[in-house]
Amino acid sequence: MSQPSDGSAAAAELTFIGTATTLLRLGPFTVLTDPNFLHRGQHAYLGRGLTAKRVTEPALSVDELPPLSAVVLSHLHGDHFDRVAKRGLARDMPIITTTHAARRLRGWGFDTVGLDTWQEHALDSGAHRLTVQSLPGVHAYGVLGKLLPPVMGSLLRWTVDGQARRTLYLTGDTLTGPHLTEIRQRHPAIDGAVVHLGGTKVLGAVVTLDGRGGRELLEAVRPGYAVPVHYDDYTRFKSPLSDFLTAVAGTRWATRLRVVERGQTISLD
């Protein structure tokens, strides 16, 4: 497995662990996203009697994680925060998430920051600041949307002495809709996006972006580049990465993809 660089505070990198779990290095900050460390063959619990079987291995274990500045959690589903993370993560490390997830995690003893849509939380390290803003997300529409836990996207903005260095949009498990247009209106110059795909099906309904949905998200938000994740790790993921690659073929997004293998580290420059 390639390792994150141990370079200066100017580094901006992503290490893909699996599912939607990444390590983001933005200057002096190291952020873990959607911690999912179950092994191949284990089941994630999605609530209301629903489960999903993992078919891949994570590239890192909880014990192999570097010191973290924070966790950013899009929502409380077992393929985004599992029993291994619950057992292994430090209780005093901030988890930035939805207000719904924050209440539950606080009950488990975690230090949590619950954000409503468009609210922000900042981390500081000398002249460096990392701001995490909650962005709107829609896991499902209609009745199913009321049964699934609330989900948020996140905008990570790293600044030095007030000057922006990188902005990164973590989509969370969202579908397309007018909320994406609002993100574009509020944030018209996002450097990159980490896009949750998979075409996940719950009770017969698609609750995450499939290939075409991923392309539509890019067209709506228009980030500078896209890193696809969350597409082949569980049995409920029905739309493989190839669907997304086919959907963007021949468009401007075809040259703006940064496909990363599990265990690989890529630059976010």
Side-chain angles (χ1 to χ4, degrees):
M1 184 190 77
S2 59
Q3 296 293 328
S5 74
D6 57 0
S8 71
E13 298 175 330
L14 177 151
T15 300
F16 184 34
I17 297 175
T19 319
T21 311
T22 69
L23 274 174
L24 302 174
R25 177 167 300 192
L26 297 167
F29 306 102
T30 301
V31 175
L32 178 69
T33 68
D34 291 307
N36 178 214
F37 296 98
L38 294 176
H39 293 290
R40 183 187 298 115
Q42 293 183 308
H43 286 78
Y45 297 99
L46 307 181
R48 302 182 185 276
L50 298 173
T51 65
K53 182 179 178 180
R54 184 155 192 173
V55 296
T56 64
E57 280 289 325
L60 288 175
S61 69
V62 170
D63 295 338
E64 294 173 313
L65 293 173
L68 299 173
S69 305
V71 171
V72 175
L73 174 63
S74 62
H75 66 303
L76 199 56
H77 255 163
D79 60 331
H80 291 258
F81 191 96
D82 60 31
R83 54 192 178 273
V84 181
K86 179 182 177 182
R87 184 171 60 246
L89 292 176
R91 292 300 197 269
D92 60 353
M93 184 209 29
I95 300 178
I96 305 167
T97 186
T98 64
T99 55
H100 170 272
R103 286 192 297 270
R104 185 80 174 272
L105 292 166
R106 198 173 298 124
W108 295 341
F110 286 99
D111 179 8
T112 64
V113 178
L115 299 179
D116 289 320
T117 302
W118 307 120
Q119 283 188 325
E120 297 181 350
H121 180 74
L123 305 171
D124 291 298
S125 178
H128 299 258
R129 168 167 282 198
L130 182 67
T131 302
V132 181
Q133 183 182 52
S134 173
L135 301 183
V138 177
H139 209 338
Y141 289 100
V143 174
L144 186 58
K146 297 178 180 179
L147 297 176
L148 297 180
V151 63
M152 73 178 194
S154 302
L155 184 77
L156 276 57
R157 186 172 185 263
W158 166 38
T159 61
V160 183
D161 289 323
Q163 299 299 310
R165 288 291 185 89
R166 300 288 183 279
T167 52
L168 190 65
Y169 169 36
L170 313 177
T171 68
D173 282 7
T174 191
L175 299 176
T176 57
H179 59 289
L180 299 180
T181 302
E182 187 172 5
I183 291 172
R184 167 69 180 173
Q185 291 169 344
R186 289 179 180 244
H187 299 291
I190 295 173
D191 292 328
V194 178
V195 184
H196 294 200
L197 298 168
T200 313
K201 285 194 173 183
V202 173
L203 301 176
V206 176
V207 298
T208 65
L209 299 169
D210 57 14
R212 185 176 66 178
R215 185 197 67 215
E216 291 174 355
L217 178 140
L218 296 180
E219 291 171 347
V221 180
R222 295 182 226 170
Y225 60 84
V227 182
V229 299
H230 193 276
Y231 49 75
D232 67 352
D233 297 274
Y234 282 89
T235 51
R236 289 187 181 272
F237 295 178
K238 302 301 183 182
S239 179
L241 177 61
S242 59
D243 286 354
F244 182 54
L245 299 180
T246 298
V248 302
T251 74
R252 58 180 169 170
W253 303 110
T255 59
R256 298 186 185 185
L257 295 187
R258 301 187 181 183
V259 177
V260 57
E261 301 293 332
R262 271 177 291 274
Q264 183 185 5
T265 297
I266 60 171
S267 171
L268 298 180
D269 293 333

